Amino acid sequence: MNLKGLQGFAQVMAAGTLAAAAKNMNISESALSRQIMILESVLGVTLFDRTKRNLAPTLEGEAFYYEAEKILMSIDEIPRIVQAIKKGVRERVRVIVMPRMAPRVAVPSIVEALAEKPDFEITVEVHRRTFIERWVAARHFDIGIGALPSFHANIDTEFLCSLPTVILMAHSHPMANRSSVRLEELANEDFISSPAGSLLGKESATHFENAGIVTRSRIEVSQSAMVCDLVAQGIGVAIHDPLIPESMRPNLAMVPLENVAKMRLGLFFPNDVVRSSATNYLADVLRRHAKSLQTQIDQDLGI
């Protein structure tokens, strides 16, 4: 692998232009361009479209950028790993978690683990579910925390807990004070939907398809926090899980949906890997907090 070309490619992607990336790397634009071309030759793929004035990443380049970042992050970790080995510190667990699950599942578990084990060390990254599967399968992380199911051949999954599917709506909505809502009652609502390719988007579409309901989607939004903001403004309603941002809870009504499958949370592990004692310990802590979370949410929703 051409490490200089990889670093140069990542710099261009991050900086936006060849000139800015070359300045950051303290090399000439022509030298940086050559390094990237060598990388493309080695990989057998075109990373940038050079027909435009500025380098524009191709679809392959966009996809490869996330993998390149992970490779470079691993390389940057080498000095820390060596220092940890010298100090005899080996209890480090690498965790990757979906954004919505970080505050109420990962954070309390990590706080407990660090309090109980002074020598315990954790690396945490927050990414969407697609990257959790990909990077756990590639063994870049010891534990992933995300929504089930996963059918990746190189991942072992474990059920953590299930959370009710809810309909988010503004407090001014006529059904905001209901104890539950049927899908059929939402037929005439304006929806703020998740992207069709996301797990939540797929599950929402399946729910309505099975019920024979055609919905009106006013806007499609990929970020959960923005979905909550729009719902709170009365733009529409949204099918969601109850893991909404803490700051948005006072602004939204969450009403359980009747006869709709619950969201299942799980742990993701790279298969064919012997788990360390530190990984097993943190997994136990995560299990406890996930079950407590399920109980708390059920109580909050009156289920």
Side-chain angles (χ1 to χ4, degrees), residues 217-232:
S217 179
R218 299 195 66 186
I219 183 171
E220 184 179 284
V221 181
S222 62
Q223 188 188 47
S224 178
M226 187 173 180
V227 170
C228 294
D229 282 333
L230 291 169
V231 170

Side-chain angles (χ1 to χ4, degrees), residues 193-213:
S193 61
S194 299
S198 69
L199 181 63
L200 187 58
K202 290 177 183 176
E203 291 181 343
S204 298
T206 299
H207 296 328
F208 285 111
E209 183 179 341
N210 291 340
I213 299 172

Side-chain angles (χ1 to χ4, degrees), residues 85-98:
I85 291 172
K86 288 180 178 179
K87 294 178 181 178
V89 177
R90 288 174 172 76
E91 285 199 311
R92 174 175 287 268
V93 182
R94 301 164 300 172
V95 179
I96 184 168
V97 58
M98 284 177 62

Side-chain angles (χ1 to χ4, degrees), residues 257-291:
L257 280 170
E258 296 180 14
N259 302 317
V260 171
K262 291 187 174 183
M263 173 189 179
R264 300 171 67 243
L265 306 187
L267 297 179
F268 296 64
F269 302 99
N271 64 8
D272 297 327
V273 173
V274 177
R275 298 173 197 166
S276 68
S277 59
T279 297
N280 286 329
Y281 165 75
L282 184 58
D284 282 339
V285 177
L286 286 163
R287 292 179 189 110
R288 291 201 304 274
H289 281 279
K291 292 190 182 305

Side-chain angles (χ1 to χ4, degrees), residues 67-109:
E67 305 302 335
E69 278 192 314
K70 186 54 58 183
I71 294 168
L72 292 171
M73 286 174 61
S74 297
I75 292 172
D76 290 341
E77 279 280 283
I78 290 175
R80 183 203 59 76
I81 292 170
V82 171
Q83 289 301 313
I85 291 172
K86 288 180 178 179
K87 294 178 181 178
V89 177
R90 288 174 172 76
E91 285 199 311
R92 174 175 287 268
V93 182
R94 301 164 300 172
V95 179
I96 184 168
V97 58
M98 284 177 62
R100 297 198 307 278
M101 298 175 195
R104 301 190 70 182
V105 180
V107 169
S109 299

